[in-house]
Amino acid sequence: MTDICNTVKQWDFERFVTKSTVGDTFAYWLCLLRRDAELPAIEKLASAMSSQCDIEEQMSDPAGFAVIHPYTPDPLMPIAPVSVTKRWSPLPAAERSLGPCSKLKMEENDHLVFAYAVWTPTWIADTPEKNASSDQQHFQFLLTLASVAAATKGMDLMLAGRIGWSYETEQTGMNPEAAVAMLEFGYLFPDRIPR
């Protein structure tokens, strides 16, 4: 397990590919984190991210989000659904925008590499790099929303990720009832893909 923040810049998409990786997507989870909170073990956090991705778009009642996993809404408050990119990891971009993280962990085996980083952000209003893809622009939009919310509420920001799920499935957009429930629960943006 890695716990060194100066390696985030090296965590591009290829760093997460394993011998058994199928597909070419990266899934990331951007959450506000209570500043004094202890994060669960990395395996439990990876499982919570997967649970959220599997269940959140089926919700029509905001109260349902609190039962997805034991870490929502406290200590982790998702700001958007688990999002999927095409062959791109947002971890290096987050470090470019937010600076060095305060905590970083990675777990890897032959089947999966999962990592998270934590920042105590100040407000940012950053723009994506020139010629940024729509996935990169969407991440920068979410990162700005999350940074403003974290700075305003005195919270940290957690970004977690792994090789993802079907990109084409995510292109259909969020179920409208689930999107409304997400906003009522406290998400800042209710879709997995750029709009």
Side-chain angles (χ1 to χ4, degrees):
M1 186 176 313
T2 304
D3 196 13
I4 303 170
C5 285
N6 63 8
T7 61
V8 172
K9 63 182 173 244
Q10 300 167 6
W11 287 11
D12 62 6
F13 177 82
E14 296 302 323
R15 178 64 181 89
F16 289 84
V17 174
T18 68
K19 290 187 277 184
S20 58
T21 295
V22 176
D24 60 355
T25 65
F26 189 86
Y28 66 90
W29 193 27
L30 194 53
C31 299
L32 301 181
L33 172 66
R34 187 168 35 86
R35 195 156 284 161
D36 62 347
E38 283 290 323
L39 280 168
I42 197 163
E43 307 83 33
K44 291 183 178 182
L45 201 58
S47 176
M49 178 182 162
S50 293
S51 293
Q52 182 176 326
C53 188
D54 289 344
I55 298 169
E56 65 190 346
E57 67 185 67
Q58 301 168 34
M59 294 291 174
S60 58
D61 177 0
F65 289 97
V67 298
I68 289 177
H69 57 73
Y71 316 116
T72 297
D74 186 22
L76 291 172
M77 181 60 198
I79 65 109
V82 173
S83 298
V84 180
T85 71
K86 193 85 159 169
R87 298 194 63 76
W88 181 74
S89 162
L91 283 153
E95 184 179 57
R96 280 192 301 277
S97 293
L98 301 172
C101 63
S102 60
K103 185 174 224 174
L104 175 66
K105 293 209 184 242
M106 176 182 268
E107 183 76 28
E108 56 188 316
N109 58 45
D110 289 343
H111 307 288
L112 179 68
V113 178
F114 179 84
Y116 73 82
V118 175
W119 287 268
T120 301
T122 55
W123 183 82
I124 63 163
D126 205 5
T127 55
E129 293 180 15
K130 191 175 181 177
N131 301 319
S133 70
S134 61
D135 290 330
Q136 293 166 331
Q137 292 172 20
H138 180 67
F139 173 73
Q140 197 61 54
F141 166 74
L142 293 178
L143 186 63
T144 300
L145 283 179
S147 297
V148 170
T152 302
K153 297 177 182 199
M155 299 179 83
D156 286 342
L157 186 78
M158 184 204 72
L159 173 62
R162 55 167 284 179
I163 294 296
W165 299 278
S166 169
Y167 191 79
E168 286 70 29
T169 299
E170 305 313 333
Q171 296 304 305
T172 59
M174 190 56 64
N175 165 357
E177 287 182 353
V180 169
M182 287 175 187
L183 291 172
E184 289 176 354
F185 183 67
Y187 284 38
L188 302 177
F189 187 76
D191 215 338
R192 297 184 197 283
I193 57 175
R195 291 283 173 217

